[in-house]
Amino acid sequence: VNADDVIEQSKDHPHRKHYTDSSRKTYHQSWSRDEDAAEVPKYTLPTNGIPSRSAYQLIHDEMTLDGNPTLNLASFVHTWMPPEAEKLIMENINKNAVDLDEYPATQVIHSRCISMIADLWKAPKDSKVIGTATAGSSEAIMLGGLAMKKRWQELRKDAGKDCSHPNIVFGANAQVALEKFARYWDVETRLVPVKAESDFIMDPKEAIKYVDENTIGVMIILGSTYTGHFENVQEMSDLLDNLQAKTGLDVPIHVDGASGGFFAPFAYPDYKWSFDIPRVHSINTSGHKFGLVYAGLGWILWRDESFLHKDLIFELHYLGSTEYSFTLNFSKPAAPILCQMFNFLNLGFEGYKRIAIKDLRNARLLSRALDSTYFTVLSNIHKPANRSASKPTKGIDEDDPNFYQIGLPVVTFRQVFTLILLSDEFKATYPHVKQEWIPMMLKAKGWIIPNYNAPLGEENVELLRVVVRETLSEDLVERLIVDILETTESLAGRSSKPAEIPLGVVSATPKGLHQPDKEHGRPNAENFNSSQDGIGQVAFSRQC
């Protein structure tokens, strides 16, 4: 059925031969929005425009069909900023950051952001760090990869060797932007399969097997989009050091810190992953993820200007002064850069740290609840770093991220209820019930949660994932737990009363979750109570 044809035929006046716009006008109306929009084509430019109020309302109404950004738990992209930041955006929305001569103050703030990020990433004091804002991490990854390719080509040419077959090594869990780089810039992809026992991320001991004289670099993921795990930059660097000692091959590392670049420094300040590892030549991150800025901002830094090949730098004169550009995209809005500086000033190190700790706390609450019911949780941020410890020893802050295994505040899980709950009769009647039905049913409640297959090597494993961002409060996490459990039980053919979670319940272990349901040996939504780390702690807000 062609919906457009049905709509057209269902209108009151399908034939308008003797019908004019003036005949549609009625008296005593405050607004003629529908009349204004009636003749507007959907896929071609209208001959005549409509009033600005009608154009606004038409688009505004259509946008109500979008999902709620706060409940979009599939995305790492930040969705809230304080009113003062939004005011700053509107005041500067018409500025192009690339016009350095016209907007010098913007460039000063841009340079200060680069300096602050370099310090955050522990750049050596004697190095000449260079970097730039980008449209996002995808553009930043392209630049980081191009710099490594140009460096490799130059070294090969100087040695009189062939430079026509470059390759790059990264894990199968890498975000698609890394594969885009390889395909767009004619670099062979050496994709390292992942394994469940290595947490669905690249194992450096496997990755080193893919490195040879044509490898331009290894890309390490600081925060896998699949499970939130950090790949081990230090171990990869040590293996490449050993390889260089044996063969003379000097292979650099680029860290894709799209999510982890603005999270690890605050949650795990002692964790070694950045420019304090000499083999790390460049790092990218997304300001619009855990940098807490609206969508449209990435960053890339090189530990020294010598690692940014001169062929990537262009000198420009036509904007009124001599300017230098080394980005793929030329024009870019100034507002996101200013918002990054706003966050740096507004939050400071301690503010970012409090938000990171709060995100991890809420992620642990969700992880424990799911892991104790119908699911297996594959992310590890709720598990003690000391695997023999079940809870913090006396004197240790339970809220300290260092007590737990490191990673992003991401909860990745999969169902186990199929084998436990579904009766033979139910399975015979509904053999097509699948895990993907859980997010489909949750979407009816407003939640957006992805269901996808694990990367190459474990591609038959289906995963569900929740990204815990600043906007996902403890109250919302509790509501999410109830909705997931009720949805799961309804799929399993069980009748369950609407679950309620008493707020403010504090316990080291989720109350009731370890009291098995008599019929099935698993707990259910009815006996779930909230758990919370620490003593009476509440979700951090910027007003605190």
Side-chain angles (χ1 to χ4, degrees):
V1 175
N2 187 311
D4 289 336
D5 290 344
V6 172
I7 292 170
E8 193 61 34
Q9 293 166 10
S10 302
K11 292 181 179 178
D12 285 344
H13 303 282
H15 303 291
R16 301 176 182 239
K17 189 180 299 183
H18 305 292
Y19 191 75
T20 64
D21 285 343
S22 60
S23 66
R24 303 184 67 200
K25 303 298 182 183
T26 60
Y27 294 104
H28 310 298
Q29 63 179 5
S30 60
W31 188 16
S32 57
R33 176 183 60 184
D34 285 345
E35 287 78 2
D36 289 336
E39 298 299 325
V40 176
K42 286 185 173 63
Y43 305 109
T44 58
L45 188 68
T47 303
N48 298 305
I50 60 176
S52 57
R53 185 181 179 187
S54 297
Y56 162 79
Q57 196 65 40
L58 186 67
I59 298 172
H60 171 83
D61 290 348
E62 285 203 27
M63 290 301 96
T64 61
L65 298 173
D66 275 347
N68 184 335
T70 300
L71 303 184
N72 179 10
L73 309 183
S75 176
F76 286 84
V77 176
H78 194 62
T79 58
W80 175 85
M81 292 195 75
E84 294 81 3
E86 294 183 341
K87 183 179 179 181
L88 202 59
I89 291 172
M90 295 311 300
E91 290 173 351
N92 296 276
I93 200 168
N94 57 354
K95 291 183 180 179
N96 187 353
V98 79
D99 293 342
L100 308 186
D101 194 54
E102 289 83 351
Y103 308 120
T106 298
Q107 181 56 28
V108 170
I109 289 177
H110 175 274
S111 298
R112 288 168 60 194
C113 284
I114 295 294
S115 179
M116 291 180 180
I117 296 171
D119 181 66
L120 192 66
W121 291 347
K122 302 179 181 178
K125 299 300 181 183
D126 57 347
S127 65
K128 295 181 179 179
V129 176
I130 190 170
T132 183
T134 62
S137 276
S138 292
E139 181 187 1
I141 285 168
M142 302 289 172
L143 293 170
L146 281 171
M148 291 194 297
K149 180 182 178 183
K150 289 289 185 181
R151 173 183 176 272
W152 173 83
Q153 286 176 325
E154 186 172 68
L155 291 174
R156 297 285 289 180
K157 288 177 182 177
D158 291 345
K161 297 180 179 179
D162 176 66
C163 61
S164 60
H165 297 92
N167 69 66
I168 190 165
V169 176
F170 50 80
N173 58 301
Q175 210 268 353
V176 69
L178 279 69
E179 293 191 61
K180 281 185 177 181
F181 159 74
R183 189 180 302 179
Y184 290 175
W185 307 107
D186 295 323
V187 177
E188 178 195 349
T189 300
R190 297 277 179 90
L191 208 59
V192 183
V194 302
K195 298 178 181 178
E197 52 266 31
S198 60
D199 296 323
F200 300 93
I201 57 174
M202 183 181 73
D203 182 350
K205 292 184 287 295
E206 292 296 317
I208 197 68
K209 301 174 183 177
Y210 291 78
V211 175
D212 61 24
E213 63 178 358
N214 291 319
T215 302
I216 66 172
V218 178
M219 287 191 171
I220 307 291
I221 314 301
L222 192 75
S224 170
T225 56
Y226 287 87
T227 59
H229 290 100
F230 293 170
E231 292 180 346
N232 196 324
V233 182
Q234 183 65 71
E235 183 181 1
M236 190 74 248
S237 177
D238 292 343
L239 291 171
L240 290 171
D241 287 345
N242 293 336
L243 181 68
Q244 183 175 7
K246 295 176 182 178
T247 65
L249 295 177
D250 183 11
V251 180
I253 289 175
H254 172 86
V255 176
D256 175 17
S259 297
F262 271 131
F263 192 85
F266 305 110
Y268 314 105
D270 297 326
Y271 181 63
K272 200 169 182 179
W273 65 273
S274 54
F275 288 135
D276 50 350
I277 299 176
R279 195 166 288 276
V280 174
H281 283 199
S282 52
I283 304 172
N284 71 273
T285 193
S286 293
H288 60 231
K289 292 179 181 173
F290 291 102
L292 309 182
V293 174
Y294 287 137
L297 181 65
W299 298 95
I300 181 167
L301 275 65
W302 289 267
R303 69 181 296 118
D304 191 85
E305 61 184 4
S306 62
F307 296 136
L308 178 61
H309 198 275
K310 61 182 184 298
D311 284 354
L312 299 179
I313 303 174
F314 291 83
E315 186 176 302
L316 311 172
H317 300 279
Y318 69 88
L319 292 176
S321 65
T322 301
E323 300 171 4
Y324 298 91
S325 173
F326 49 92
T327 56
L328 298 179
N329 195 58
F330 189 62
S331 293
K332 57 177 175 278
I337 299 170
L338 305 182
C339 284
Q340 188 72 80
M341 178 57 74
F342 171 87
N343 276 342
F344 288 167
L345 298 178
N346 177 231
L347 292 172
F349 187 93
E350 289 300 319
Y352 269 103
K353 180 179 179 180
R354 285 195 296 270
I355 291 172
I357 289 174
K358 185 266 292 185
D359 290 346
L360 287 168
R361 181 192 311 132
N362 288 338
R364 290 195 296 272
L365 168 61
L366 178 60
S367 297
R368 290 166 181 156
L370 295 176
D371 209 32
S372 300
T373 54
Y374 307 125
F375 301 90
T376 295
V377 174
L378 303 173
S379 46
N380 292 337
I381 47 89
H382 63 297
K383 299 177 182 178
N386 178 359
R387 296 174 187 267
S388 63
S390 59
K391 59 182 180 179
T393 57
K394 188 175 181 180
I396 293 180
D397 181 9
E398 189 176 358
D399 218 27
D400 184 358
N402 292 295
F403 173 75
Y404 307 92
Q405 295 182 37
I406 62 173
L408 298 175
V410 169
V411 181
T412 302
F413 56 104
R414 60 185 176 88
Q415 68 178 24
V416 295
F417 75 88
T418 303
L419 298 178
I420 298 170
L421 294 177
L422 299 187
S423 65
D424 292 338
E425 179 182 356
F426 186 90
K427 285 187 286 186
T429 308
Y430 306 105
H432 52 287
V433 171
K434 298 178 181 179
Q435 176 173 287
E436 64 191 47
W437 286 24
I438 295 174
M440 290 173 62
M441 294 179 68
L442 287 171
K443 200 166 187 178
K445 297 175 179 285
W447 303 107
I448 301 174
I449 296 175
N451 182 81
Y452 53 90
N453 291 89
L456 178 68
E458 295 286 350
E459 58 270 27
N460 292 325
V461 178
E462 280 189 89
L463 308 173
L464 294 159
R465 187 196 69 201
V466 170
V467 179
V468 179
R469 304 191 306 272
E470 182 186 9
T471 49
L472 191 65
S473 65
E474 180 182 341
D475 179 62
L476 284 176
V477 171
E478 292 174 348
R479 185 65 252 174
L480 174 63
I481 293 168
V482 172
D483 286 344
I484 290 176
L485 296 183
E486 288 183 350
T487 297
T488 302
E489 291 176 350
S490 67
L491 276 175
R494 299 185 59 195
S495 61
S496 168
K497 297 178 182 178
E500 293 183 0
I501 295 181
L503 299 181
V505 177
V506 179
S507 67
T509 305
K511 183 180 178 182
L513 286 181
H514 297 292
Q515 300 173 8
D517 173 85
K518 292 181 180 179
E519 180 182 356
H520 298 283
R522 299 287 285 188
N524 61 31
E526 294 181 53
N527 61 19
F528 175 78
N529 279 340
S530 165
S531 70
Q532 192 174 1
D533 299 326
I535 302 176
Q537 292 163 327
V538 298
F540 167 76
S541 71
R542 293 193 185 177
Q543 285 71 39
C544 290

